[in-house]
Amino acid sequence: EASAPGSPAACPDDGFQAAFDAHRRGALDAALAGYRRIVAISPTHLDAWGNLCVALLAMGRVEESVEAGERALALSPERAELHINLAAAFKSSGRLGHARRALEQAIALQPASAPAHINLGNVLRAAGQAGAALEAYEWAGVLAPDDLAAHSNQGLALKDLGRPEAALIRFRRALAVNPGAAEVHFNLGNTLRETGALEAAVEALSRAAALDPAHLRARTNLGVSLRDLGRTQAAVEIFDAVIARDPDYADAHWNRALALLLAGDFGRGWPAYEWRWKATSMTPRAFDQPLWDGAPAKGRTILLHAEQGLGDCLHFVRYAALVAAQGARVVVECPAALTGLLETCPGISQITARGDALPAFDLHAPLMSLPALLGTEADTIPADIPYLKAPQSAAAELSAALDAAPPEHRKIGFVWAGNPAHENDRNRSCDAACFAPLGEIENISLFSLQKDAVLDTPGQLPPAVDLAPLLGDFSDTAFAAARLDLIITVDTAMAHLAGALGRPVWLLLPHAPEWRWQFERDDSPWYPTMRLFRQARPGDWDGVFARLLDALTSL
């Protein structure tokens, strides 16, 4: 996000001029000392107080910057630039309401101030008011058509509003103003990647990295784009170069781990996967008991705790059997929706719902650290299925709905959308209408397993029995899945459930898949009954469903 703060003001006073010159050179310590000497001698020196506010903020001394800005404003409340500088200090301190009022005052004093409108947009965007921020940036663009920040920040606000295509136009307008703006190339590249234009994203992010070799985010996101294109070796080389420059740069380590796992390089990938604790919002659990290090733990109780989504828990709970085989007693903590189902998993002695009181245990481990702890390689993936069992009975209404299909029909369940809060849901979920042609195939009965999704237009789906109202938890869903001949789903927990139950499952994948599905294969080493249908290019669901319909017709 670009800002437009006021700049330090020059003054003919010799002592001030020396401090100002130091400020302009970036010698902030010298400038600060000079300004402080001046205000100590002359407490009403307006420009010294104003520049002190700017210098202190640049040094990260936010509260002192606020104090200096308020002293300057008390001396001259009619100067708009002083309100702008104080607003920047307020914003840095988290006082967004104060910052907004200061900028509104600046605009009242100087309506044609593009910097005031830009900074107001920054404050509104930080407050989550992207629509109002966009309006402020647009005003700045009208007032100053050649202002880089006005156009670039419009693009950021449009991204916040879920309008990436419009954002691309604004970023390109900003680059017309200044083709050498590395940060704008960075924002352009990120947005291109979001829209699936991966080759163009690589070009933009490469340009950002060339313009500013120290821009580690640009170089890292370049690696991510290369990884999404399947160029995993080139991606790993990019991440390695970033890490060589900054060994503690967690985001590069994390994305390197995902690239290695995507390439099937488990020997390097699993240890690197532990960087998730530093690179993401995931927080490691704090227990008095130590982490298990993978050593034999005969006679000891190990708590395995779920850490990410429901699908990840279903995927990695298979490792409970391997831990138990070492002689440990295994307790699993998982989301409440999975407790009944996971009781059927081999190796588990006790299940507890997340949030409930934990039983006594000696050691603990996150579920997704188990492949590293147990040394999983591509040829040692534990894929004995089924490792979960569906219940033999369910509510009469659910049983009746499944039994209503003609006996000669194949019963097919389908899911078209995942959790909308997932960071990649835009790419991994498809429109419900994609499934409409399935209704034209003879001798099949369709069952919707989709939960928590709203159709944009009634009538998008093929004729199907909607099971969602009858599915209370994953045990109900497992009961249904076990009685279907085939499950067709996008990349959601349903895919893992069907695979863990050993049911035939066809998984529909975006062009850039999650690491576990790898590239250029139509099977999965994790789930022997799974078949993969991949996009040939980003967003190509039509091609996926054309191949799927051919496969269904040939059953």
Side-chain angles (χ1 to χ4, degrees), residues 386-408:
Y387 57 87
L388 296 178
K389 295 181 181 178
Q392 295 301 306
S393 62
E397 192 174 359
L398 177 58
S399 296
L402 289 161
D403 292 341
E408 70 275 13

PDB file of all heavy atoms in Angstrom, residues 386-408:
ATOM      1  N   PRO A 386      -9.921 -49.827   3.720  1.00  0.00           N
ATOM      2  CA  PRO A 386     -10.346 -48.624   4.452  1.00  0.00           C
ATOM      3  C   PRO A 386      -9.720 -48.570   5.842  1.00  0.00           C
ATOM      4  O   PRO A 386      -9.520 -49.608   6.473  1.00  0.00           O
ATOM      5  CB  PRO A 386     -11.856 -48.800   4.546  1.00  0.00           C
ATOM      6  CG  PRO A 386     -12.054 -50.284   4.557  1.00  0.00           C
ATOM      7  CD  PRO A 386     -10.989 -50.841   3.662  1.00  0.00           C
ATOM      8  N   TYR A 387      -9.425 -47.369   6.303  1.00  0.00           N
ATOM      9  CA  TYR A 387      -9.000 -47.226   7.688  1.00  0.00           C
ATOM     10  C   TYR A 387     -10.066 -46.524   8.525  1.00  0.00           C
ATOM     11  O   TYR A 387      -9.876 -46.292   9.712  1.00  0.00           O
ATOM     12  CB  TYR A 387      -7.646 -46.504   7.802  1.00  0.00           C
ATOM     13  CG  TYR A 387      -7.573 -45.125   7.179  1.00  0.00           C
ATOM     14  CD1 TYR A 387      -7.948 -43.989   7.896  1.00  0.00           C
ATOM     15  CD2 TYR A 387      -7.077 -44.943   5.897  1.00  0.00           C
ATOM     16  CE1 TYR A 387      -7.849 -42.727   7.330  1.00  0.00           C
ATOM     17  CE2 TYR A 387      -6.967 -43.689   5.332  1.00  0.00           C
ATOM     18  CZ  TYR A 387      -7.351 -42.581   6.055  1.00  0.00           C
ATOM     19  OH  TYR A 387      -7.252 -41.325   5.501  1.00  0.00           O
ATOM     20  N   LEU A 388     -11.190 -46.201   7.900  1.00  0.00           N
ATOM     21  CA  LEU A 388     -12.379 -45.743   8.626  1.00  0.00           C
ATOM     22  C   LEU A 388     -13.558 -46.600   8.184  1.00  0.00           C
ATOM     23  O   LEU A 388     -13.598 -47.090   7.048  1.00  0.00           O
ATOM     24  CB  LEU A 388     -12.672 -44.263   8.338  1.00  0.00           C
ATOM     25  CG  LEU A 388     -11.617 -43.245   8.788  1.00  0.00           C
ATOM     26  CD1 LEU A 388     -12.040 -41.833   8.379  1.00  0.00           C
ATOM     27  CD2 LEU A 388     -11.382 -43.319  10.281  1.00  0.00           C
ATOM     28  N   LYS A 389     -14.513 -46.779   9.066  1.00  0.00           N
ATOM     29  CA  LYS A 389     -15.694 -47.589   8.766  1.00  0.00           C
ATOM     30  C   LYS A 389     -16.948 -46.765   8.960  1.00  0.00           C
ATOM     31  O   LYS A 389     -17.072 -46.013   9.932  1.00  0.00           O
ATOM     32  CB  LYS A 389     -15.744 -48.820   9.669  1.00  0.00           C
ATOM     33  CG  LYS A 389     -14.603 -49.797   9.440  1.00  0.00           C
ATOM     34  CD  LYS A 389     -14.727 -51.004  10.358  1.00  0.00           C
ATOM     35  CE  LYS A 389     -13.576 -51.980  10.145  1.00  0.00           C
ATOM     36  NZ  LYS A 389     -13.672 -53.146  11.069  1.00  0.00           N
ATOM     37  N   ALA A 390     -17.872 -46.939   8.037  1.00  0.00           N
ATOM     38  CA  ALA A 390     -19.158 -46.250   8.142  1.00  0.00           C
ATOM     39  C   ALA A 390     -20.064 -47.005   9.110  1.00  0.00           C
ATOM     40  O   ALA A 390     -19.968 -48.232   9.235  1.00  0.00           O
ATOM     41  CB  ALA A 390     -19.821 -46.175   6.775  1.00  0.00           C
ATOM     42  N   PRO A 391     -20.946 -46.296   9.805  1.00  0.00           N
ATOM     43  CA  PRO A 391     -21.895 -46.976  10.680  1.00  0.00           C
ATOM     44  C   PRO A 391     -22.849 -47.850   9.862  1.00  0.00           C
ATOM     45  O   PRO A 391     -23.108 -47.591   8.680  1.00  0.00           O
ATOM     46  CB  PRO A 391     -22.625 -45.826  11.370  1.00  0.00           C
ATOM     47  CG  PRO A 391     -22.423 -44.636  10.500  1.00  0.00           C
ATOM     48  CD  PRO A 391     -21.095 -44.820   9.850  1.00  0.00           C
ATOM     49  N   GLN A 392     -23.364 -48.884  10.491  1.00  0.00           N
ATOM     50  CA  GLN A 392     -24.265 -49.810   9.799  1.00  0.00           C
ATOM     51  C   GLN A 392     -25.700 -49.323   9.756  1.00  0.00           C
ATOM     52  O   GLN A 392     -26.517 -49.867   9.018  1.00  0.00           O
ATOM     53  CB  GLN A 392     -24.211 -51.185  10.480  1.00  0.00           C
ATOM     54  CG  GLN A 392     -22.846 -51.847  10.365  1.00  0.00           C
ATOM     55  CD  GLN A 392     -22.441 -52.051   8.913  1.00  0.00           C
ATOM     56  OE1 GLN A 392     -23.186 -52.655   8.138  1.00  0.00           O
ATOM     57  NE2 GLN A 392     -21.264 -51.538   8.551  1.00  0.00           N
ATOM     58  N   SER A 393     -26.000 -48.311  10.553  1.00  0.00           N
ATOM     59  CA  SER A 393     -27.380 -47.811  10.564  1.00  0.00           C
ATOM     60  C   SER A 393     -27.363 -46.298  10.680  1.00  0.00           C
ATOM     61  O   SER A 393     -26.368 -45.695  11.076  1.00  0.00           O
ATOM     62  CB  SER A 393     -28.164 -48.417  11.739  1.00  0.00           C
ATOM     63  OG  SER A 393     -27.580 -48.047  12.971  1.00  0.00           O
ATOM     64  N   ALA A 394     -28.482 -45.703  10.313  1.00  0.00           N
ATOM     65  CA  ALA A 394     -28.629 -44.248  10.386  1.00  0.00           C
ATOM     66  C   ALA A 394     -30.110 -43.952  10.539  1.00  0.00           C
ATOM     67  O   ALA A 394     -30.958 -44.859  10.592  1.00  0.00           O
ATOM     68  CB  ALA A 394     -28.064 -43.584   9.139  1.00  0.00           C
ATOM     69  N   ALA A 395     -30.440 -42.683  10.605  1.00  0.00           N
ATOM     70  CA  ALA A 395     -31.841 -42.282  10.729  1.00  0.00           C
ATOM     71  C   ALA A 395     -32.653 -42.872   9.586  1.00  0.00           C
ATOM     72  O   ALA A 395     -32.174 -42.975   8.445  1.00  0.00           O
ATOM     73  CB  ALA A 395     -31.950 -40.763  10.737  1.00  0.00           C
ATOM     74  N   ALA A 396     -33.875 -43.250   9.890  1.00  0.00           N
ATOM     75  CA  ALA A 396     -34.723 -43.915   8.894  1.00  0.00           C
ATOM     76  C   ALA A 396     -34.900 -43.065   7.648  1.00  0.00           C
ATOM     77  O   ALA A 396     -34.924 -43.587   6.517  1.00  0.00           O
ATOM     78  CB  ALA A 396     -36.079 -44.240   9.521  1.00  0.00           C
ATOM     79  N   GLU A 397     -34.985 -41.745   7.819  1.00  0.00           N
ATOM     80  CA  GLU A 397     -35.219 -40.856   6.680  1.00  0.00           C
ATOM     81  C   GLU A 397     -34.026 -40.890   5.721  1.00  0.00           C
ATOM     82  O   GLU A 397     -34.197 -40.895   4.498  1.00  0.00           O
ATOM     83  CB  GLU A 397     -35.471 -39.432   7.176  1.00  0.00           C
ATOM     84  CG  GLU A 397     -36.014 -38.509   6.101  1.00  0.00           C
ATOM     85  CD  GLU A 397     -36.384 -37.138   6.645  1.00  0.00           C
ATOM     86  OE1 GLU A 397     -36.235 -36.929   7.867  1.00  0.00           O
ATOM     87  OE2 GLU A 397     -36.799 -36.285   5.852  1.00  0.00           O
ATOM     88  N   LEU A 398     -32.787 -40.936   6.270  1.00  0.00           N
ATOM     89  CA  LEU A 398     -31.601 -40.999   5.418  1.00  0.00           C
ATOM     90  C   LEU A 398     -31.541 -42.342   4.696  1.00  0.00           C
ATOM     91  O   LEU A 398     -31.263 -42.397   3.485  1.00  0.00           O
ATOM     92  CB  LEU A 398     -30.343 -40.771   6.265  1.00  0.00           C
ATOM     93  CG  LEU A 398     -28.997 -40.877   5.544  1.00  0.00           C
ATOM     94  CD1 LEU A 398     -28.926 -39.896   4.384  1.00  0.00           C
ATOM     95  CD2 LEU A 398     -27.843 -40.642   6.512  1.00  0.00           C
ATOM     96  N   SER A 399     -31.813 -43.411   5.409  1.00  0.00           N
ATOM     97  CA  SER A 399     -31.809 -44.733   4.768  1.00  0.00           C
ATOM     98  C   SER A 399     -32.842 -44.811   3.658  1.00  0.00           C
ATOM     99  O   SER A 399     -32.564 -45.325   2.560  1.00  0.00           O
ATOM    100  CB  SER A 399     -32.085 -45.816   5.806  1.00  0.00           C
ATOM    101  OG  SER A 399     -31.061 -45.884   6.762  1.00  0.00           O
ATOM    102  N   ALA A 400     -34.010 -44.271   3.923  1.00  0.00           N
ATOM    103  CA  ALA A 400     -35.079 -44.322   2.924  1.00  0.00           C
ATOM    104  C   ALA A 400     -34.707 -43.516   1.680  1.00  0.00           C
ATOM    105  O   ALA A 400     -34.982 -43.938   0.545  1.00  0.00           O
ATOM    106  CB  ALA A 400     -36.375 -43.795   3.530  1.00  0.00           C
ATOM    107  N   ALA A 401     -34.072 -42.356   1.872  1.00  0.00           N
ATOM    108  CA  ALA A 401     -33.690 -41.522   0.732  1.00  0.00           C
ATOM    109  C   ALA A 401     -32.689 -42.246  -0.163  1.00  0.00           C
ATOM    110  O   ALA A 401     -32.753 -42.158  -1.394  1.00  0.00           O
ATOM    111  CB  ALA A 401     -33.102 -40.198   1.230  1.00  0.00           C
ATOM    112  N   LEU A 402     -31.770 -42.975   0.443  1.00  0.00           N
ATOM    113  CA  LEU A 402     -30.772 -43.703  -0.333  1.00  0.00           C
ATOM    114  C   LEU A 402     -31.354 -44.938  -1.008  1.00  0.00           C
ATOM    115  O   LEU A 402     -30.933 -45.325  -2.107  1.00  0.00           O
ATOM    116  CB  LEU A 402     -29.613 -44.108   0.582  1.00  0.00           C
ATOM    117  CG  LEU A 402     -28.716 -42.963   1.058  1.00  0.00           C
ATOM    118  CD1 LEU A 402     -27.913 -43.374   2.280  1.00  0.00           C
ATOM    119  CD2 LEU A 402     -27.777 -42.528  -0.070  1.00  0.00           C
ATOM    120  N   ASP A 403     -32.330 -45.551  -0.374  1.00  0.00           N
ATOM    121  CA  ASP A 403     -32.917 -46.776  -0.911  1.00  0.00           C
ATOM    122  C   ASP A 403     -33.974 -46.517  -1.970  1.00  0.00           C
ATOM    123  O   ASP A 403     -34.437 -47.460  -2.632  1.00  0.00           O
ATOM    124  CB  ASP A 403     -33.539 -47.603   0.220  1.00  0.00           C
ATOM    125  CG  ASP A 403     -32.487 -48.156   1.164  1.00  0.00           C
ATOM    126  OD1 ASP A 403     -31.308 -48.219   0.761  1.00  0.00           O
ATOM    127  OD2 ASP A 403     -32.842 -48.497   2.312  1.00  0.00           O
ATOM    128  N   ALA A 404     -34.350 -45.264  -2.155  1.00  0.00           N
ATOM    129  CA  ALA A 404     -35.441 -44.951  -3.085  1.00  0.00           C
ATOM    130  C   ALA A 404     -35.019 -45.062  -4.547  1.00  0.00           C
ATOM    131  O   ALA A 404     -35.871 -45.123  -5.434  1.00  0.00           O
ATOM    132  CB  ALA A 404     -35.961 -43.540  -2.812  1.00  0.00           C
ATOM    133  N   ALA A 405     -33.719 -45.088  -4.822  1.00  0.00           N
ATOM    134  CA  ALA A 405     -33.261 -45.164  -6.208  1.00  0.00           C
ATOM    135  C   ALA A 405     -33.619 -46.514  -6.806  1.00  0.00           C
ATOM    136  O   ALA A 405     -33.595 -47.539  -6.119  1.00  0.00           O
ATOM    137  CB  ALA A 405     -31.748 -44.960  -6.268  1.00  0.00           C
ATOM    138  N   PRO A 406     -33.967 -46.543  -8.092  1.00  0.00           N
ATOM    139  CA  PRO A 406     -34.242 -47.829  -8.752  1.00  0.00           C
ATOM    140  C   PRO A 406     -33.048 -48.769  -8.606  1.00  0.00           C
ATOM    141  O   PRO A 406     -31.894 -48.347  -8.698  1.00  0.00           O
ATOM    142  CB  PRO A 406     -34.473 -47.447 -10.218  1.00  0.00           C
ATOM    143  CG  PRO A 406     -34.917 -46.012 -10.154  1.00  0.00           C
ATOM    144  CD  PRO A 406     -34.167 -45.404  -8.999  1.00  0.00           C
ATOM    145  N   PRO A 407     -33.276 -50.034  -8.369  1.00  0.00           N
ATOM    146  CA  PRO A 407     -32.167 -50.972  -8.102  1.00  0.00           C
ATOM    147  C   PRO A 407     -31.185 -51.098  -9.257  1.00  0.00           C
ATOM    148  O   PRO A 407     -30.020 -51.441  -9.036  1.00  0.00           O
ATOM    149  CB  PRO A 407     -32.890 -52.295  -7.823  1.00  0.00           C
ATOM    150  CG  PRO A 407     -34.261 -52.132  -8.392  1.00  0.00           C
ATOM    151  CD  PRO A 407     -34.594 -50.681  -8.281  1.00  0.00           C
ATOM    152  N   GLU A 408     -31.628 -50.833 -10.489  1.00  0.00           N
ATOM    153  CA  GLU A 408     -30.709 -50.964 -11.623  1.00  0.00           C
ATOM    154  C   GLU A 408     -29.836 -49.722 -11.810  1.00  0.00           C
ATOM    155  O   GLU A 408     -28.921 -49.722 -12.648  1.00  0.00           O
ATOM    156  CB  GLU A 408     -31.496 -51.251 -12.912  1.00  0.00           C
ATOM    157  CG  GLU A 408     -32.329 -50.082 -13.434  1.00  0.00           C
ATOM    158  CD  GLU A 408     -33.709 -49.995 -12.786  1.00  0.00           C
ATOM    159  OE1 GLU A 408     -33.921 -50.687 -11.760  1.00  0.00           O
ATOM    160  OE2 GLU A 408     -34.556 -49.249 -13.314  1.00  0.00           O
TER     161      GLU A 408
END
